[in-house]
């Protein structure tokens, strides 16, 4: 074989080798991204407890382990609160981006976090005070444990 043909074959073989390696790395990257998305979406939300400090009875504690909780006077709400100052669907508590968030659902008497009105979704921390209409509750959270 002549030298130019041998050189051309070597170059084609090198291009094929690098193309194969690039394809393999791209496939691994896509698979890792898909796996990380699955882990993020299936991660269990830490337990959220809402306690009414004004009453000491066990019925004044609400525990939630779901990623979203709707509070309101509607009996179909996740957290049913029977009070005239609470709207049918008053507020939403949701767990995403590693935090619990509170959001007002255009309620009549408003939602307040630590005596400040909730006009946009805000992050909750353990010990915060939430007020829905005239009902005041304290937020308690279990720490998230990563294994």
């Amino acid at each position: 074989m002549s030298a130019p043909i041998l050189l051309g074959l070597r170059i084609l073989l090198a291009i094929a080798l690098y193309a194969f390696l690039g394809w393999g790395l791209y496939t691994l990257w896509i698979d890792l991204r898909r796996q990380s998305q699955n882990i993020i979406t299936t991660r269990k939300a830490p337990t959220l407890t809402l306690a009414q400090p004004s009453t000491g009875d066990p019925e004044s504690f609400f525990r939630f382990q779901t990623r979203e909780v709707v509070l309101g006077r509607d009996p179909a709400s996740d957290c049913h609160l029977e009070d005239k100052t609470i709207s049918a669907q008053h507020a939403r508590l949701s767990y995403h981006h590693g935090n619990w968030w509170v959001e007002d659902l255009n309620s009549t008497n408003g939602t307040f976090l630590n005596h400040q009105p909730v006009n946009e979704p805000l992050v909750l921390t353990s010990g915060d005070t939430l007020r829905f209409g005239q009902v005041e509750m304290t937020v308690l959270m279990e720490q998230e444990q990563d294994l």
Side-chain angles (χ1 to χ4, degrees), residues 14-75:
I15 290 172
L17 179 63
Y18 283 115
F20 177 75
L21 287 175
W23 173 76
L25 290 175
Y26 177 74
T27 303
L28 285 173
W29 180 70
I30 293 295
D31 191 43
L32 284 174
R33 241 180 52 180
R34 189 176 306 127
Q35 290 288 336
S36 68
Q37 287 296 331
N38 288 342
I39 290 171
I40 289 171
T41 57
T42 59
R43 183 181 295 166
K44 195 174 161 185
T47 303
L48 176 73
T49 304
L50 297 177
Q52 287 180 295
S54 58
T55 61
D57 60 354
E59 294 179 5
S60 65
F61 288 90
F62 301 96
R63 282 188 170 69
F64 305 101
Q65 293 182 330
T66 59
R67 298 180 78 78
E68 183 174 289
V69 178
V70 175
L71 295 100
R73 201 174 62 231
D74 184 6

Side-chain angles (χ1 to χ4, degrees), residues 117-139:
V118 175
N119 299 320
E120 60 186 22
L122 298 173
V123 175
L124 293 172
T125 59
S126 193
D128 280 346
T129 302
L130 284 172
R131 184 164 54 92
F132 312 103
Q134 296 299 317
V135 177
E136 192 167 294
M137 301 180 131
T138 302
V139 176

Side-chain angles (χ1 to χ4, degrees), residues 1-12:
M1 270 194 196
S2 69
I5 294 175
L6 191 57
L7 179 63
L9 287 174
R10 284 182 177 176
I11 290 173
L12 284 175

